[in-house]
Amino acid sequence: GIPLRCSLAKNLVLAECDAEETSHVRVLRRATAEASRGKHERESEHDWPVWAAFSGKNCHAGHGGDRIGGSDPVRGHQSLHECQELCLAHEECDAVDIYDTQDGQEDNCWLLKNINVDKCDVHQQFSLWLSPAYEEKLGKYRPHKWTSHHNTNC
């Protein structure tokens, strides 16, 4: 068979890409602190989209949310901002659960989907943060969006 080739790129202009029958491009349009005006409007460089916070909530399978595979937990100690950035970059992520390790060393960040806050466990060392675009437990409006472009090579 033909070997697969995978590339990472940024600042793509799809109109400048080549038409190529065997190629496929997937583009992630992310909402971050650098997002343009709109759902994640910001006033200054230090503003961050508003995430709904629920102190003392631990969500996991059968208890208000599903942890996303490969990030159960995310490896390494993450700041809240770093954990949120990881969530925004993940296609399925609706929320993050942060654990207060009290040592700043242990794994402490879980990416979550299928959230129902009322069914999450109570645990004082956890804090749940819902993505700014998460709507009423449905997750139908995500702050990021993947698009596919068949027969395109950039």
Side-chain angles (χ1 to χ4, degrees):
I2 299 172
L4 295 177
R5 193 184 83 185
C6 179
S7 302
L8 295 176
K10 62 181 182 178
N11 303 321
L12 288 178
V13 178
L14 287 170
E16 296 174 2
C17 296
D18 298 325
E20 189 174 295
E21 198 170 310
T22 59
S23 294
H24 179 87
V25 174
R26 293 219 354 117
V27 177
L28 175 64
R29 182 177 179 149
R30 290 183 37 179
T32 67
E34 289 78 35
S36 59
R37 297 276 179 212
K39 188 169 266 197
H40 300 288
E41 187 169 326
R42 65 192 186 108
E43 297 298 321
S44 75
E45 190 62 32
H46 301 289
D47 285 347
W48 180 246
V50 176
W51 289 63
F54 297 85
S55 182
K57 292 289 187 176
N58 179 16
C59 306
H60 50 94
H63 298 270
D66 295 319
R67 292 178 174 166
I68 295 172
S71 62
D72 190 15
V74 171
R75 296 288 173 229
H77 190 84
Q78 308 293 320
S79 70
L80 174 60
H81 182 81
E82 290 167 334
C83 190
Q84 289 171 332
E85 277 283 350
L86 291 168
C87 181
L88 290 174
H90 196 287
E91 187 173 3
E92 295 181 296
C93 190
D94 294 318
V96 299
D97 228 349
I98 295 284
Y99 180 73
D100 181 4
T101 63
Q102 299 181 354
D103 67 6
Q105 302 295 317
E106 297 175 53
D107 299 345
N108 67 328
C109 168
W110 284 264
L111 306 183
L112 305 167
K113 61 184 178 179
N114 305 324
I115 302 299
N116 183 336
V117 177
D118 295 333
K119 293 185 177 182
C120 297
D121 289 339
V122 174
H123 191 297
Q124 293 309 311
Q125 285 183 266
F126 276 89
S127 293
L128 175 70
W129 296 80
L130 289 179
S131 163
Y134 186 76
E135 181 178 287
E136 308 261 336
K137 302 179 195 123
L138 300 176
K140 69 179 188 179
Y141 298 113
R142 300 190 193 285
H144 46 273
K145 181 179 179 183
W146 284 95
T147 56
S148 292
H149 305 274
H150 296 278
N151 303 325
T152 304
N153 185 16
C154 298

